[in-house]
Amino acid sequence: MLRVRGAACRLVCLMAALVLSACEPASEYDQDCDLPYDGSDAEGSWEVTGEGTRVGCSDPDLNGDLTLHLSMPLQVRATRPGEADAGPAPVQGEQSEADAFVEAIAAGRADSAGTGASTFDLWLDGADGGLQPDGFSDGSCVDVRVDERVGDVVQVVHFAGSVRRRGTIKGTFSGDGPGTCSFEGEFDARVR
Amino acid sequence: MHSPPTTTRPLRLRAARGPLLALLLLALLPTQALAETWGIGTFQNRGVDPNAVATFRDLLRDEIGNRLGVTTVDVPGACDSVQCVRAAAAGSDASVVVHGSVGRLGQKVVVSVNAIFVDDGSGRFSQRMNAMGVEEFDVVAARMAEAMVSDRPVAETAELGNLTDAEVAPPKRRRGRFGGTLGLQGILPLSGYADEVGGAGIEGGMWFETYDIAIEPRLAVRFDMSDPKRDYLHGGFELGVSWLMSRSDISPVLGVGTGLHGVWESVERSSEGMPGFQVQLPSHSDRTDFALLFPVFLRAGVLLLRTYNASLLLSVDAIHSFGKFEDRGESGETAFRLNMQFIFGGA
């Protein structure tokens, strides 16, 4: 009896170790769509910074570790799917006096996360075309693509992140350009 | 009573007394009085230090006296014929006269020894032997005396301890100039070399030169000189072969060579963001690589002061090194090298 109990205990311990070793701590840069925020929290002026690496460039000076910053903030507007772009986004100011009410609404949105009720189209001010959204949100996840062309040089950057708290988005970025370069990294965005 | 006869015993003693006395006298006489006497004549000198020739004559005299057990006497007079030697020895007790010659032939000395009977001038001994210098005259004297004693060719008298350098050394090859080199080098890269950074080098090696060809193995260290953000250090071995187009003091040179280089390079790369773009992605990296490269080079230059035992070689190399830097994905390096080499030593 004692031998059986000892063997069972060792088996349980072994399985627990295996399970725990397979679990990696979640990174705050991984997308999490179940947080109590949605695309409306992504609307505003994005100040983005990040770090990453770039490879595959024909110019060797472009290969290597890189940093990301914006020459001017991204102006992001959020609309419900199917709605037209309603104009410049309101600037998010300081935390309003009805914080608790706002948080309650955000909690309510979280309840319907993933069901399509909290999806938004995201639009960038000054983006070419304007007929198609430049991104979308689903729950607290946001996804924005920035296509830029200056002369013959093209650069595409794809931001995929999550609204971690009001005014803060974290996630990863990736993209191509100029030329044969490709890059990836992690970013932090402050939304004002 | 009849007494025995007394005349027989006293008569035998008297008869034996004479021969016994003669034998006793012979035993007491000095033996030298009965030993043969050899005369040591002159040795003609052809280009050798006279003192060394005189020393050889003395050494030979001692060896003959010791080995043959003969008395030696000087036979003066410079003779170049048998008749002269016999005439010079006529006033002495010598029954045999030894004479000969010592002459220089290039780097070696030829020793000739002859011995003739004085009474009829017939030859008793005549042999010749080579020495690589006057320092071997003691060996030559001993070998010649041994040859006289044993009546064998002098070549057969060789034993451990009395061999000459000519008998010990292997067959000789032709000699060339064998010296050393020290050099300085300037490097003008065309590709590679940590993004074409100019550099310099120090090298040292050996120089073997014949009338028309020179062979030069060398070791070298080369390094960057001009950019703190791009560094390289090359070390390696090279072997060059050159055609020396003239035998005078100023000789044009054409050559080829190869080798093996160990190469370490570090390049700091950076870029600013692209103007006009909203998303700016400036980059920065330090790439460090090590590789083994296989170089091949062509050389053209001029060798100055070639007929002296110190020379100066001024040359230009066009070099390409084969190999790959795995981290940066770059292959090969190409450069021009400006060389100044000091060649020293070697006869």
Side-chain angles (χ1 to χ4, degrees):
Chain A
M1 186 63 177
L2 281 174
R3 281 201 293 272
V4 172
R5 190 180 299 172
C9 183
R10 283 195 291 274
L11 180 61
V12 169
C13 290
L14 177 61
M15 292 186 68
L18 286 172
V19 169
L20 288 173
S21 66
C23 295
E24 295 180 1
S27 167
E28 59 181 350
Y29 294 97
D30 294 336
Q31 278 195 311
D32 186 352
C33 303
D34 297 328
L35 297 174
Y37 306 102
D38 61 20
S40 63
D41 297 302
E43 186 175 71
S45 177
W46 287 24
E47 296 176 356
V48 185
T49 58
E51 292 180 345
T53 56
R54 180 163 53 201
V55 297
C57 303
S58 56
D59 181 356
D61 283 345
L62 297 178
N63 291 324
D65 298 331
L66 58 78
T67 58
L68 182 150
H69 65 271
L70 302 179
S71 59
M72 65 181 68
L74 287 172
Q75 303 300 326
V76 179
R77 285 183 299 281
T79 61
R80 291 289 182 183
E83 293 178 5
D85 181 5
V91 176
Q92 290 196 1
E94 299 295 328
Q95 194 90 348
S96 69
E97 60 204 303
D99 285 348
F101 176 69
V102 171
E103 292 299 330
I105 292 178
R109 287 170 181 162
D111 291 337
S112 61
T115 63
S118 63
T119 59
F120 288 81
D121 291 333
L122 301 178
W123 305 80
L124 295 177
D125 268 353
D128 292 339
L131 299 178
Q132 296 292 331
D134 300 294
F136 66 93
S137 72
D138 184 5
S140 56
C141 289
V142 295
D143 206 294
V144 173
R145 176 186 168 108
V146 181
D147 288 346
E148 296 187 273
R149 173 190 291 270
V150 176
D152 294 331
V153 182
V154 175
Q155 178 174 279
V156 177
V157 185
H158 176 217
F159 295 96
S162 305
V163 180
R164 289 286 167 175
R165 57 181 180 274
R166 264 179 83 79
T168 300
I169 298 174
K170 290 180 182 289
T172 60
F173 69 90
S174 61
D176 300 299
T180 58
C181 298
S182 61
F183 51 86
E184 62 182 12
E186 295 174 339
F187 76 91
D188 293 84
R190 293 189 63 184
V191 183
R192 296 182 183 276
Chain B
M1 191 133 174
H2 195 62
S3 60
T6 59
T7 59
T8 307
R9 192 174 300 163
L11 276 175
R12 282 204 289 271
L13 279 175
R14 262 190 246 119
R17 192 167 49 197
L20 285 173
L21 187 61
L23 283 173
L24 181 63
L25 288 173
L26 280 172
L28 291 173
L29 279 173
T31 54
Q32 287 85 342
L34 299 177
E36 194 177 2
T37 300
W38 284 36
I40 308 300
T42 55
F43 280 77
Q44 295 184 30
N45 182 354
R46 302 187 179 97
V48 181
D49 176 17
N51 290 329
V53 176
T55 300
F56 170 74
R57 185 176 177 275
D58 292 341
L59 289 169
L60 183 64
R61 175 179 182 161
D62 291 342
E63 291 289 345
I64 290 173
N66 293 333
R67 291 174 188 265
L68 278 80
V70 299
T71 301
T72 57
V73 296
D74 279 332
V75 176
C79 289
D80 58 358
S81 67
V82 171
Q83 292 75 11
C84 174
V85 170
R86 292 178 65 202
S92 68
D93 294 330
S95 59
V96 176
V97 175
V98 177
H99 67 102
S101 64
V102 179
R104 181 167 294 280
L105 196 64
Q107 293 180 343
K108 63 184 178 183
V109 178
V110 181
V111 179
S112 177
V113 176
N114 306 300
I116 62 169
F117 291 102
V118 176
D119 54 358
D120 61 359
S122 60
R124 184 191 184 283
F125 177 87
S126 179
Q127 294 202 43
R128 185 177 66 236
M129 186 174 178
N130 296 334
M132 295 312 297
V134 299
E135 295 84 4
E136 296 185 322
F137 276 179
D138 54 341
V139 174
V140 174
R143 296 273 296 273
M144 285 291 190
E146 182 60 30
M148 288 183 199
V149 170
S150 58
D151 198 23
R152 292 182 294 164
V154 68
E156 295 181 12
T157 63
E159 295 176 345
L160 287 178
N162 70 353
L163 297 170
T164 62
D165 286 349
E167 293 169 319
V168 172
K172 287 187 176 295
R173 299 181 184 276
R174 288 183 293 175
R175 301 179 70 176
R177 177 187 186 184
F178 193 68
T181 66
L182 287 175
L184 296 176
Q185 196 171 68
I187 300 171
L188 306 176
L190 299 179
S191 68
Y193 290 86
D195 290 352
E196 295 104 47
V197 176
I202 302 171
E203 56 186 32
M206 306 177 78
W207 179 268
F208 177 70
E209 177 184 325
T210 65
Y211 284 125
D212 302 312
I213 300 292
I215 301 173
E216 181 196 3
R218 60 174 175 262
L219 298 174
V221 174
R222 302 180 180 98
F223 41 88
D224 67 282
M225 292 281 288
S226 59
D227 191 331
K229 295 185 178 180
R230 294 177 288 173
D231 301 312
Y232 61 80
L233 181 66
H234 294 195
F237 168 80
E238 291 180 0
L239 179 65
V241 178
S242 299
W243 172 35
L244 309 178
M245 303 169 70
S246 170
R247 300 179 184 180
S248 65
D249 269 341
I250 300 177
S251 173
V253 174
L254 292 176
V256 297
T258 184
L260 186 64
H261 291 172
V263 174
W264 173 88
E265 295 189 4
S266 177
V267 177
E268 184 180 308
R269 301 194 187 281
S270 63
S271 69
E272 302 299 325
M274 294 184 292
F277 284 81
Q278 189 170 13
V279 179
Q280 294 287 309
L281 299 169
S283 62
H284 175 85
S285 67
D286 289 321
R287 295 298 180 94
T288 301
D289 267 312
F290 180 82
L292 286 177
L293 301 182
F294 171 67
V296 175
F297 63 89
L298 301 176
R299 168 167 292 185
V302 61
L303 180 62
L304 305 176
L305 304 175
R306 185 183 172 188
T307 62
Y308 293 83
N309 59 4
S311 308
L312 187 67
L313 175 62
L314 304 175
S315 62
V316 176
D317 294 343
I319 180 170
H320 180 77
S321 301
F322 297 90
K324 187 174 183 179
F325 292 95
E326 295 297 335
D327 191 40
R328 286 180 280 146
E330 296 176 0
S331 298
E333 298 187 322
T334 305
F336 285 110
R337 302 190 305 200
L338 309 178
N339 309 305
M340 182 168 67
Q341 288 174 278
F342 173 59
I343 304 168
F344 55 92

